[in-house]
Amino acid sequence: MKKHSVLVLSLLTAIVSCGNDDGGSPMGTSGAGGQAGAVASAGAGAGGMSALAGNAGVPAVTAGSAGTAGTGGAGGTCEIPSLEVFSRSDTDQAWDDNDFSAVVLGSEPCPKTATVTWPHETGWENADPAEANSEVTHFTLDSYSSVDLTNKKLSLTIELSADQRGAGATAGSYSISLVSVSTFDRVVMMGGAGTDAGGSGGLAALAGGGGSAGKGGGGGASGTDASAGGSVSGGDGTAGAPVTTDTGYTEAELPVADRATLRFVGDRATVIFPLPNKTTELGSYDPTRVIKINVRIYNTFSSGQTGGAGGAGGTAGGAGMGGGGGGTAGTAGRGGGGGTAGLAGTSGGGGASAGTAGLVGASGGAGGSGGASTVGPVYNYGTSTFSITSFVIKDVSAP
């Protein structure tokens, strides 16, 4: 299994400005305009007998006071930790199957976008490469964290903001899940017991698993019983092998029934995952040893099939035999692809007298409903963009 960096980072949550749900930011209010200054002009000059025109008055302008500044628009907020794309690692284990890396995170902090190119890879049937049009695939966004998640839950708000599909697509959607990964200590080699190395007549002590060497008993007077006391000490026992462990990783993932489905551009969902407590099972998820929390998104796929045509009706019964003989039964109806057979026709009526043919039997019943057709939905996955506006850790009792 490919191991990720064991460097544990504290959860970094950025609180940044974000637009309204409709994508716009509220406008600030404009400042109040200054008052216009007074404008006055001098009148015409006083005239004599034959008055001359006075000089024109010069306008006097008093500047208005400055308008007050408008207030800034109040934007929304996003609570999103630092995210990175899971690094693809094709192994022979199931935990990373079809977890691909063709994902680009947007540079804007709010909302945080992930633009995905769904995989269509050669050789997918016999190896780990993925084919989104023919199987379920997924990608994962990681956020490294060392926070104790006992009695906590993860909450994600996400929207399908763009979806480009190939021609002829008739179906398709995306399943939104949450994951957390913790570590556990896995025993690789158990320690061995120390060897018996008693002195002459002494009974040797044994070393414990991985412990120090055991000390032999003192030599006995008869050479058989250490309790008899002797002056010769027993030799040291050989120490047992040490216990060796390495680090294992366990995922806890939101159950399928609790995941959200996004089908159309503009679909939005909030997904909640109350994290489980540790159990007695070896290697179970441990909320006190978390290394990361994750957003995981799947494409949906189904080979669901439509019904075939109904079976044909049964053929008519043959003519009755002459003279009181009954007509032969109608043959069974012909079933459609996977459908049930039609009912048999009834027998013909008896002839009125010898040599007279009986009546023709009634036709068989209608055929049964047809079986499944091999024609299924067409996906043609291309690229999708998901917009995250919230990914937070909450107390399990919080709304």
Side-chain angles (χ1 to χ4, degrees):
M1 177 179 74
K2 179 178 178 181
K3 295 182 181 177
H4 299 282
S5 170
V6 297
L7 178 63
V8 177
L9 304 178
S10 295
L11 182 65
L12 176 61
T13 302
I15 309 298
V16 295
S17 177
C18 182
N20 284 349
D21 291 345
D22 60 4
S25 297
M27 297 293 291
T29 59
S30 60
Q35 295 180 348
V39 179
S41 58
M49 291 180 56
S50 58
L52 299 177
N55 294 329
V58 178
V61 178
T62 302
S65 58
T68 56
T71 58
T77 60
C78 287
E79 294 182 82
I80 307 170
S82 177
L83 295 174
E84 59 184 74
V85 180
F86 172 83
S87 180
R88 177 172 179 156
S89 171
D90 293 340
T91 73
D92 59 358
Q93 300 187 48
W95 63 272
D96 64 348
D97 285 354
N98 299 333
D99 203 327
F100 56 92
S101 300
V103 182
V104 177
L105 293 176
S107 60
E108 295 296 327
C110 181
K112 176 58 69 176
T113 60
T115 299
V116 184
T117 300
W118 295 97
H120 306 291
E121 303 178 60
T122 303
W124 67 275
E125 293 177 296
N126 301 313
D128 191 52
E131 172 49 73
N133 285 341
S134 301
E135 62 178 336
V136 174
T137 65
H138 65 269
F139 70 91
T140 302
L141 303 178
D142 292 341
S143 177
Y144 283 85
S145 169
S146 59
V147 175
D148 184 345
L149 297 185
T150 302
N151 295 323
K152 302 292 185 180
K153 64 184 178 183
L154 305 180
S155 176
L156 169 75
T157 300
I158 188 169
E159 178 181 335
L160 178 61
S161 52
D163 194 31
Q164 299 293 327
R165 305 288 302 285
T170 61
S173 59
Y174 308 97
S175 180
I176 312 300
S177 183
L178 295 174
V179 180
S180 181
V181 179
S182 69
T183 63
F184 66 95
D185 295 325
R186 178 167 50 201
V187 175
V188 177
M189 180 183 297
M190 294 293 295
T195 61
D196 182 344
S200 58
L203 300 177
L206 297 180
S212 61
K215 188 74 174 180
S222 64
T224 58
D225 187 357
S227 65
S231 60
V232 181
S233 296
D236 288 339
T238 303
V243 176
T244 304
T245 63
D246 71 357
T247 301
Y249 301 88
T250 300
E251 282 190 350
E253 184 169 10
L254 186 69
V256 174
D258 296 329
R259 298 173 192 174
T261 299
L262 305 181
R263 290 185 173 85
F264 306 107
V265 173
D267 282 359
R268 174 181 289 192
T270 295
V271 186
I272 305 293
F273 182 22
L275 294 164
N277 293 320
K278 183 174 175 56
T279 68
T280 57
E281 181 182 355
L282 180 65
S284 65
Y285 174 80
D286 186 348
T288 69
R289 297 184 58 173
V290 168
I291 61 169
K292 60 183 179 178
I293 57 176
N294 316 83
V295 178
R296 182 168 292 171
I297 301 178
Y298 298 82
N299 69 302
T300 58
F301 173 80
S302 172
S303 58
Q305 299 170 339
T306 58
T315 59
M321 296 179 62
T328 58
T331 58
R334 180 163 50 88
T340 56
L343 302 175
T346 59
S347 62
S353 59
T356 303
L359 299 176
V360 175
S363 64
S369 59
S373 167
T374 58
V375 177
V378 178
Y379 291 99
N380 282 351
Y381 286 109
T383 61
S384 307
T385 299
F386 300 89
S387 298
I388 298 172
T389 52
S390 177
F391 184 31
V392 295
I393 297 170
K394 297 182 177 182
D395 289 334
V396 73
S397 61

